[in-house]
């Protein structure tokens, strides 16, 4: 999944998010410090925190608080990626695969996970803390379903969708919803942005599964059938997106609903 360039404002925000994550992972334990720095700086694209920042900026939210939320969302994502690898599931990111050893995976994953919730506690918004706690639980359940599906026969589209939505799209949805909450959005805007995040996350994950090959879900079909699933979610994402105040950032959000899936 290749997303179009973001406005310079968001690129600067993501650099600040990276710096915040680096500061939060500061430790005297040399091996963990090295691995943490590698994880923070290795990924060229961070769609989940970028989505948080674009949504929050479009709603006129406080940039510092949004960056804390974005960092927490990315910590959760990377922690879960490390744990997925322990179970033999493929990772969409290169960084977890570069850090060897089950014990190291567990320790670093725990460090990232606790770092996420320290950031959320510092935000001081119980609604956000509850939403991301619930989302993490749903993702864990989705990961169990994913493991069971890997060991079984191929699934139909509906079954694949249930698994990928729980395991992957949930964090996109929760990030967008939490950004709306932090910005004081009304209920209709919050719900529209949450649906936008869910469908964007699904389009992203269809592409990830197609690219993974061995170890990914056995999709019912590839090619045009998979492209139709991506197109369906992109259309739903565009339809869910509410009218927002900032025209440039609304345009950026709309552009996110037209990425190209590449196997």
């Amino acid at each position: 999944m290749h997303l179009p360039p973001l406005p310079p404002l968001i690129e600067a925000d993501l650099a600040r998010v990276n710096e915040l994550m680096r500061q939060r992972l500061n430790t005297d334990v040399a091996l963990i410090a090295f691995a943490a720095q590698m994880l923070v700086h290795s990924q060229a694209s961070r769609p989940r925190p970028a989505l948080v920042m674009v949504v929050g900026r479009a709603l006129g939210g406080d940039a510092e608080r949004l960056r804390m939320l974005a960092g927490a969302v990315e910590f959760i994502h990377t922690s879960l990626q490390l744990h997925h690898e322990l179970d033999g599931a493929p990772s969409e990111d290169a960084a977890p695969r570069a850090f060897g050893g089950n014990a190291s995976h567990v320790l670093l994953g725990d460090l990232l996970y606790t770092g996420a919730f320290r950031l959320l506690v510092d935000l001081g918004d119980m609604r956000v803390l509850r939403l991301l706690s619930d989302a993490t639980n749903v993702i864990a359940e989705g990961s169990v379903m994913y493991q069971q599906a890997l060991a079984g026969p191929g699934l139909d589209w509906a079954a694949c969708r249930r698994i990928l939505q729980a395991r992957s799209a949930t964090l996109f949805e929760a990030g967008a919803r939490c950004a709306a909450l932090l910005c004081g959005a009304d209920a209709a805007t919050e719900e529209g942005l949450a649906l936008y995040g869910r469908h964007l996350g699904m389009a992203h994950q269809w592409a990830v599964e197609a690219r993974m090959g061995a170890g990914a879900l056995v999709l019912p079909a590839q090619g045009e059938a998979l492209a139709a699933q991506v197109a369906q979610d992109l259309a739903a994402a565009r339809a869910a997106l509410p009218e927002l105040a900032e025209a440039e950032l609304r345009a950026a959000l709309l552009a996110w609903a037209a990425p190209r899936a590449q196997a």
Side-chain angles (χ1 to χ4, degrees):
M1 173 75 65
H2 293 281
L3 299 173
L6 290 167
L9 175 66
I10 303 303
E11 294 288 1
D13 276 326
L14 287 181
R16 296 281 296 277
V17 170
N18 272 353
E19 178 60 20
L20 173 64
M21 293 169 67
R22 187 195 65 76
Q23 292 172 358
R24 291 291 178 137
L25 291 173
N26 188 28
T27 174
D28 293 332
V29 181
L31 181 59
I32 293 179
F34 170 76
Q37 297 303 317
M38 180 179 68
L39 287 171
V40 167
H41 294 291
S42 64
Q43 294 169 297
S45 174
R46 294 188 185 276
R48 295 159 190 83
L51 178 61
V52 169
M53 294 309 307
V54 176
V55 166
R57 286 292 197 174
L59 293 171
D62 180 81
E64 182 177 358
R65 288 173 62 77
L66 288 167
R67 287 191 288 265
M68 292 172 69
L69 173 61
V73 166
E74 187 64 7
F75 274 156
I76 292 171
H77 165 67
T78 310
S79 173
L80 292 169
Q81 288 289 291
L82 286 162
H83 289 140
H84 292 164
E85 290 241 322
L86 285 178
D87 294 333
S91 169
E92 70 179 79
D93 302 320
R97 291 193 295 273
F99 190 58
N102 284 1
S104 296
H105 272 72
V106 170
L107 290 171
L108 184 55
D110 290 348
L111 178 66
L112 294 170
Y113 190 71
T114 56
F117 282 91
R118 287 175 66 189
L119 275 170
L120 294 175
V121 168
D122 288 347
L123 270 176
D125 192 312
M126 287 300 297
R127 299 169 304 169
V128 169
L129 181 59
R130 179 59 183 265
L131 272 168
L132 282 174
S133 297
D134 289 347
T136 304
N137 191 64
V138 171
I139 294 166
E141 292 175 353
S143 294
V144 172
M145 293 189 292
Y146 191 93
Q147 288 300 317
Q148 292 174 331
L150 287 179
L155 304 171
D156 61 23
W157 288 116
C160 285
R161 183 174 194 86
R162 285 195 300 273
I163 293 170
L164 297 185
Q165 181 171 312
R167 183 177 184 263
S168 303
T170 293
L171 195 53
F172 283 83
E173 178 180 353
R177 185 185 292 277
C178 288
L181 278 175
L182 278 186
C183 296
D186 59 59
T189 299
E190 176 195 326
E191 189 61 30
L193 287 166
L195 287 173
Y196 175 83
R198 178 194 303 173
H199 288 293
L200 188 67
M202 283 302 305
H204 173 82
Q205 197 59 35
W206 289 124
V208 168
E209 292 299 314
R211 190 174 67 243
M212 286 296 177
L217 285 181
V218 179
L219 299 176
Q222 295 280 344
E224 292 183 2
L226 178 58
Q229 295 294 314
V230 174
Q232 173 183 315
D233 276 292
L234 295 180
R238 294 177 69 91
L241 187 62
E243 293 292 335
L244 300 174
E246 297 292 334
E248 179 188 4
L249 294 174
R250 176 175 165 79
L253 280 166
L254 284 169
W256 269 47
R260 294 179 298 279
Q262 294 185 357

